[in-house]
Amino acid sequence: MSSYKTTTLSLIQAPDNLAFKSVPYIIDDYALAMYLRVRCKTIWYCISCKPKMYTSFNIPKANGKVRAIHNPKPALKFIQRRIDSVILKRLPLLECVGAYVPGKSCLDSAMQHVGQGVRVGMDIRDFFPTHTRGGVRQFFHEHVGYSMYVAGLLADLCTVPRKVRSKTKGEFTRHDVPQGSPASPTLCNLIAQEKFDRAVLEALGPEGWTYTRYSDDLTLSHPEDLKRKDVDDAIKQVRKLMGVAGYRDNPKKLKIQRRWRQQRMLGIVVNEKPNIPRHTYRLFRSLMHNCLAHGFEPNAAMYGWNDADGDFIEHLKGKLSYFQSINEEKAKKLRAVFDQALQQHEPERVHNGATET
């Protein structure tokens, strides 16, 4: 981690050329502290003690591996939230960016690929930790317009030190963007937009391709049922642009879906209109009927619900709301069964694995 020393020179460093009038005019650590609503020494404490400012743990992934989560402690989390709201959220995002955008959902991304002849799904490997301190500093300096001094402060506040092992360097400490920070999603979206998304749109847009990125999930679609060679050429271009931007492709998650087969992205079928996958709908319909016949408590246990998951009925309500946003007609049928079950088995409630009456 690089160190800083506040000097008279640093106090007069003005932003090189702020690209957006919406972001605050920050010239040094004192101005940064003012906009973040903390004391200047709090910023320096969080930077100098950064290894101690995170609580780290792993959560299981669907593929059997684990995802490292770095949860910042209250002081640093407050600073990161302020960076997100005062600076990052004030920067515009392209229409192709779907995840972590207020007011947008996965349905908004899926709608852009409905009724296409061919759909290609790709994935960026290790999306968050690929963004290192150097890349974050470069973004704040070159794309936002802050001085290298201020950009370095922001980069230190938005990254976490991690020990990594390389065949050439051995074990060393690298500072990258953590999963768990409130500033990380917007920050990674903005960096990926400048380094990668714009290049993909410029390369494939004129050829008729529609492109969206939902966090690390990339989707390309074309209205025509193109030949495999043309599809492979597009995939090759995206992979090349990925490498230029410093990202790595996950070839195991490459999917090519034609019009005559089910085209699914982000858990939504997009062949003719947004729809709930048939298997998902049938499983949830079966669960609703079981709840109607036997109550919520036994089905919560069969569903694998545990004490840490919260209220089972509220979870079902959330699922129904999600289904309604995709297919209102099907969701209405599920809602009718759910309401019957709720009426019949009230005042039974399932909360934290216990029945309340």
Side-chain angles (χ1 to χ4, degrees):
M1 181 172 58
S2 60
S3 60
Y4 297 89
K5 184 177 180 181
T6 305
T7 64
T8 304
L9 179 61
S10 71
L11 297 180
I12 60 173
Q13 286 182 334
D16 293 345
N17 184 18
L18 281 182
F20 306 93
K21 294 181 180 180
S22 56
V23 298
Y25 194 84
I26 302 173
I27 62 173
D28 58 11
D29 50 347
Y30 291 99
L32 178 61
M34 180 187 70
Y35 281 108
L36 298 183
R37 295 181 182 174
V38 295
R39 291 182 294 178
C40 191
K41 68 178 183 179
T42 303
I43 290 178
W44 288 109
Y45 174 79
C46 290
I47 292 175
S48 60
C49 299
K50 190 161 60 168
K52 302 177 183 178
M53 297 302 293
Y54 289 90
T55 301
S56 302
F57 56 92
N58 295 326
I59 59 173
K61 297 170 67 174
N63 60 7
K65 297 182 180 180
V66 295
R67 176 179 285 109
I69 303 296
H70 303 277
N71 184 35
K73 293 187 177 178
L76 182 57
K77 181 175 287 188
F78 176 82
I79 288 175
Q80 290 171 346
R81 280 178 178 157
R82 290 294 298 168
I83 292 173
D84 186 51
S85 62
V86 172
I87 301 174
L88 300 176
K89 282 290 197 306
R90 297 184 180 185
L91 300 173
L93 284 168
L94 295 170
E95 186 64 27
C96 66
V97 181
Y100 317 120
V101 181
K104 294 183 73 172
S105 68
C106 55
L107 181 62
D108 295 292
S109 294
M111 285 293 293
Q112 299 183 52
H113 300 280
V114 171
Q116 300 287 68
V118 60
R119 191 197 78 86
V120 179
M122 302 178 70
D123 184 83
I124 298 176
R125 183 183 299 179
D126 299 325
F127 180 61
F128 279 77
T130 297
H131 300 93
T132 62
R133 181 190 177 278
V136 175
R137 188 183 190 188
Q138 182 182 20
F139 167 77
F140 280 117
H141 177 61
E142 294 185 3
H143 296 290
V144 183
Y146 289 127
S147 67
M148 288 294 285
Y149 174 71
V150 173
L153 291 174
L154 290 167
D156 269 334
L157 292 169
C158 292
T159 55
V160 62
R162 289 194 311 119
K163 289 191 179 297
V164 295
R165 183 175 291 277
S166 169
K167 292 182 179 180
T168 55
K169 299 180 181 179
E171 188 176 84
F172 65 99
T173 301
R174 190 179 73 178
H175 297 254
D176 50 41
V177 175
Q179 283 191 272
S181 162
S184 294
T186 313
L187 178 60
C188 290
N189 264 347
L190 288 164
I191 296 175
Q193 171 180 273
E194 300 303 326
K195 292 172 57 178
F196 179 65
D197 296 336
R198 292 187 190 276
V200 175
L201 291 172
E202 290 175 5
L204 298 181
E207 298 178 13
W209 287 92
T210 299
Y211 164 76
T212 61
R213 178 179 57 80
Y214 197 87
S215 187
D216 56 356
D217 290 319
L218 314 179
T219 301
L220 293 164
S221 65
H222 198 282
E224 299 179 17
D225 187 16
L226 299 176
K227 295 180 181 179
R228 181 58 189 259
K229 180 182 180 301
D230 296 325
V231 176
D232 288 341
D233 287 343
I235 295 172
K236 187 176 179 181
Q237 285 190 68
V238 173
R239 284 177 171 164
K240 181 179 179 180
L241 293 172
M242 241 188 240
V244 172
Y247 297 123
R248 293 185 300 160
D249 175 44
N250 189 346
K252 294 181 180 179
K253 293 191 177 182
L254 174 65
K255 294 180 180 179
I256 301 174
Q257 300 169 333
R258 300 286 180 173
R259 177 178 283 138
W260 58 81
R261 299 185 63 183
Q262 186 184 84
Q263 295 179 338
R264 187 192 299 191
M265 62 171 290
L266 305 174
I268 302 173
V269 177
V270 294
N271 287 70
E272 297 179 0
K273 63 179 182 179
N275 207 347
I276 306 167
R278 185 178 301 172
H279 180 67
T280 302
Y281 174 76
R282 287 178 174 175
L283 283 178
F284 198 81
R285 183 181 62 184
S286 175
L287 175 62
M288 291 296 94
H289 283 287
N290 284 336
C291 288
L292 175 61
H294 307 292
F296 292 98
E297 182 182 4
N299 283 283
M302 292 179 60
Y303 194 74
W305 205 251
N306 56 52
D307 294 348
D309 292 328
D311 192 302
F312 182 59
I313 292 179
E314 292 302 318
H315 166 74
L316 297 180
K317 287 181 180 178
K319 279 280 191 181
L320 287 169
S321 297
Y322 171 69
F323 290 154
Q324 187 172 4
S325 69
I326 300 173
N327 189 314
E328 191 171 352
E329 183 179 348
K330 285 187 174 181
K332 189 176 180 180
K333 296 177 182 179
L334 295 173
R335 173 73 69 175
V337 181
F338 173 77
D339 289 341
Q340 289 179 6
L342 198 62
Q343 184 176 2
Q344 181 171 328
H345 295 283
E346 282 217 339
E348 177 187 288
R349 298 285 292 175
V350 179
H351 184 68
N352 289 335
T355 304
E356 301 175 358
T357 57

